[in-house]
Amino acid sequence: MLQQKSKSVLGFSRAQWFLSALFAIYMFEYMVTLTFIDQRSAAITGPTWQLYLHYIDYALVVLGFVSFALLRRASEQFTFRRTLLLLPSIAYGCAVLLLFLLQSVAAFSAAAMGAAYFLGLLGEMVYFCMSAALADSNKMGRVMALGASAAVLLQYLLQEYWRITAGIPIALALGFCAAVYLAERRPWEWLTETCLPYEAPMPEKTRAITGTLARLCLNALCLYAMGTIYDRQMMLLNVHSGYEDYNLYAWPRLFLIAGYLLVGFLSDAGRGKLLSVATLCAALAALLNPVLFDDPAFYTVNMCLFYLYLGASVSYYNLAFWRVAPRTGWPELWAGMGRIVTNLFSALLTLTPVSQLSMAAAIGVAVALFGVLLVSMAAGGELALSLPARSEPTGPTQEQKLDAYCARCAFTPREREVFEKLMTTEDDLQCIADSLYISRRMVQRYVTSIYEKTETKTRLGLFQRYMNFSKD
């Protein structure tokens, strides 16, 4: 199983390489599908309906994200959850194939909407896997950044030197293989059962988690709104020019990679503390160079800055929600909340005259949003980078010894809690289950995993192994 000890390849375990590839496949499908729908609908439906269909598809992606969470909670049966891992990939593939065949406006629009909905189902499944498997890892940012960067690079190369549509069958095949692997091999037990590292919020931390989630939603809205001020105008330029004069998918799109790598690697380097700082720097760079749509000479430069900012902002709300999701009561929903909030906001913006803002008004709104974002991050402690106060060196405390042993054995957060109960109390498994608000069956699974990681077979042997470690 992937969560067990595995050989490291270039610093990543096999599980992390698999997750990076899984995210790359999905990101490629997401970008290519929506791009293909936009470009094909321009020829079939015309510019006006194409723009509306673009935002309708965004709303249906949101519905798909939410639907996966609701469906997963609808039943805990193994067969149902296993089917839920396979169904989105199959249904999405069928809908995409119809996009190539249908010619009428109504039929093509229906296929596009179906593809968007199942793309959302598939997306929430992938985001849930990324969050649950990497929430306690110090490589989450790099896994995400490498996967997203690979998707962008592949999209550009296919589009520039071959045909972008040629990559769709390959992505469908790889995505289906990944879904089959997840459903058949089940490398993580939480894929079909409710046994995440934190499957329910800790009662004493519920209020803090709620506040964190609210701030993250606000931050995601601010980041997306700043980008939308420019994105919607660029979208209109592309629609009315027939993707010739202003090409949203030209080489400046590669600056997405710079944004992904900047935020992803800095996030890991600072153990999450540099995530917000790196994102703010990218936002400030975009803010100080307003898009001069009236002067085509500035278009390419601003496209580069726009995509750098877009990659950084997407990385921020992906990583921020992935880290906190397993500690909520609905991890399968909150893992994709960044995408849910931004896509829903994008669809709602069709009702506002944002594209009619003057340049002065657009800059004013962007500055105000940046101010709100700065205050929100500061209030949430995301910008607190000061080093802890130095103290006189003392021997390690029991808590520090426990932390060190858990880190050495690569325990998950929930395994750490079970291990602590096993070492510091005489409670039986049912008492431990009650105190941690999980089932006895789940405690047994965690104990089995702890025994495997520590190479012990009994509670007494585990205690002796830990005591020998504490004496060192």
Side-chain angles (χ1 to χ4, degrees), residues 300-361:
T300 300
V301 174
N302 287 293
M303 283 279 285
C304 294
L305 285 175
F306 168 74
Y307 279 122
L308 173 67
Y309 167 75
L310 183 61
S313 61
V314 169
S315 298
Y316 170 81
Y317 56 71
N318 278 348
L319 295 174
F321 279 108
W322 288 354
R323 292 188 189 281
V324 74
R327 290 162 176 78
T328 69
W330 281 77
E332 52 273 269
L333 176 64
W334 285 103
M337 189 54 65
R339 183 66 70 181
I340 291 172
V341 168
T342 54
N343 278 23
L344 184 60
F345 186 60
S346 176
L348 292 176
L349 279 178
T350 58
L351 305 176
T352 66
V354 63
S355 61
Q356 301 175 13
L357 289 175
S358 66
M359 185 53 57

Side-chain angles (χ1 to χ4, degrees), residues 45-127:
T45 68
T48 302
W49 175 243
Q50 184 233 4
L51 187 60
Y52 285 116
L53 183 61
H54 174 84
Y55 290 106
I56 290 173
D57 287 343
Y58 270 50
L60 288 171
V61 169
V62 170
L63 183 60
F65 267 74
V66 175
S67 295
F68 178 86
L70 295 176
L71 288 171
R72 189 174 187 276
R73 283 302 181 94
S75 174
E76 295 187 359
Q77 293 183 355
F78 168 79
T79 302
F80 180 84
R81 289 191 170 180
R82 178 174 172 271
T83 302
L84 191 57
L85 294 173
L86 286 170
L87 179 62
S89 182
I90 296 173
Y92 163 72
C94 293
V96 170
L97 292 177
L98 289 175
L99 293 176
F100 288 90
L101 303 175
L102 300 176
Q103 297 294 329
S104 70
V105 174
F108 176 83
S109 298
M113 293 177 189
Y117 173 74
F118 291 115
L119 186 65
L121 273 177
L122 187 62
E124 187 64 44
M125 182 191 78
V126 172
Y127 279 46

Side-chain angles (χ1 to χ4, degrees), residues 34 43 65 70 92 140 203 209 229 242 244 333-334 354 388 395 463 472:
L34 296 181
F65 267 74
L70 295 176
Y92 163 72
M140 176 187 282
I209 291 175
I229 291 175
E244 295 177 0
L333 176 64
W334 285 103
V354 63
F463 181 78
D472 295 340

